[in-house]
Amino acid sequence: MKLLLEHDKADLRFNEETNSIELIWKKYQDDATYRLMFTKGVEFLKEYGATGWLSDIRKEGIVGPATSAWMQKEILPKAISYGLKRVAIIMDADVFKEFYVKNIERNAAQGIMKYFDSVETAHKWLKSEQVN
């Protein structure tokens, strides 16, 4: 695991075993931090040739509609064009987060997102996809 960007609200890492960029939120995000982490994350995705993305959003907080729309219209299409094949989301039971991720999946990431309640199970899924 290689730390790519450390921020007080989140970390970006590259996981060689799963060929994935990992965005781990440590505290509630704000729009500027959210955009920074995803912009940098997609740059790293391209640089490292990663095909997977893992987001641990349990400490992310609520993402506003404008920021969510930016993710759907700009970030995900760019990441997919760079080779993104699968997205693992680690989340807890929260109606707002569920709405947020389901909305992104419906509008921009159909068929490539899967939800988990632990990083370990997400890693297993991302690794299993490497062999196919």
Side-chain angles (χ1 to χ4, degrees):
M1 190 90 64
K2 179 178 182 178
L3 182 63
L4 303 173
L5 178 63
E6 189 172 19
H7 189 280
D8 67 319
K9 295 188 178 192
D11 289 337
L12 274 169
R13 308 183 297 217
F14 176 64
N15 186 327
E16 299 88 356
E17 286 185 31
T18 61
N19 193 34
S20 300
I21 300 297
E22 299 189 359
L23 174 56
I24 311 299
W25 290 99
K26 299 185 276 189
K27 55 171 92 165
Y28 281 19
Q29 53 75 37
D30 54 66
D31 287 348
T33 306
Y34 184 95
R35 289 174 185 250
L36 169 72
M37 298 309 282
F38 276 102
T39 299
K40 290 292 189 186
V42 169
E43 290 171 9
F44 289 130
L45 180 103
K46 182 179 182 184
E47 179 182 338
Y48 285 85
T51 55
W53 184 283
L54 181 146
S55 277
D56 185 341
I57 64 171
R58 291 175 289 188
K59 296 180 182 175
E60 177 185 54
I62 296 173
V63 177
T67 305
S68 180
W70 170 81
M71 156 68 82
Q72 294 170 45
K73 291 178 184 155
E74 292 187 36
I75 290 299
L76 267 170
K78 186 181 286 187
I80 291 167
S81 79
Y82 291 161
L84 179 67
K85 302 271 188 259
R86 67 197 69 81
V87 177
I89 307 289
I90 295 95
M91 57 186 270
D92 43 21
D94 178 303
V95 70
F96 295 110
K97 285 182 186 172
E98 189 172 326
F99 176 78
Y100 159 70
V101 294
K102 297 286 185 187
N103 194 37
I104 289 172
E105 181 178 30
R106 183 176 52 254
N107 292 316
Q110 294 177 359
I112 68 169
M113 289 176 75
K114 194 163 179 176
Y115 311 100
F116 302 91
D117 57 10
S118 76
V119 172
E120 295 75 27
T121 55
H123 281 163
K124 284 181 187 173
W125 177 69
L126 288 166
K127 282 184 204 175
S128 74
E129 293 295 312
Q130 291 298 315
V131 243
N132 296 336

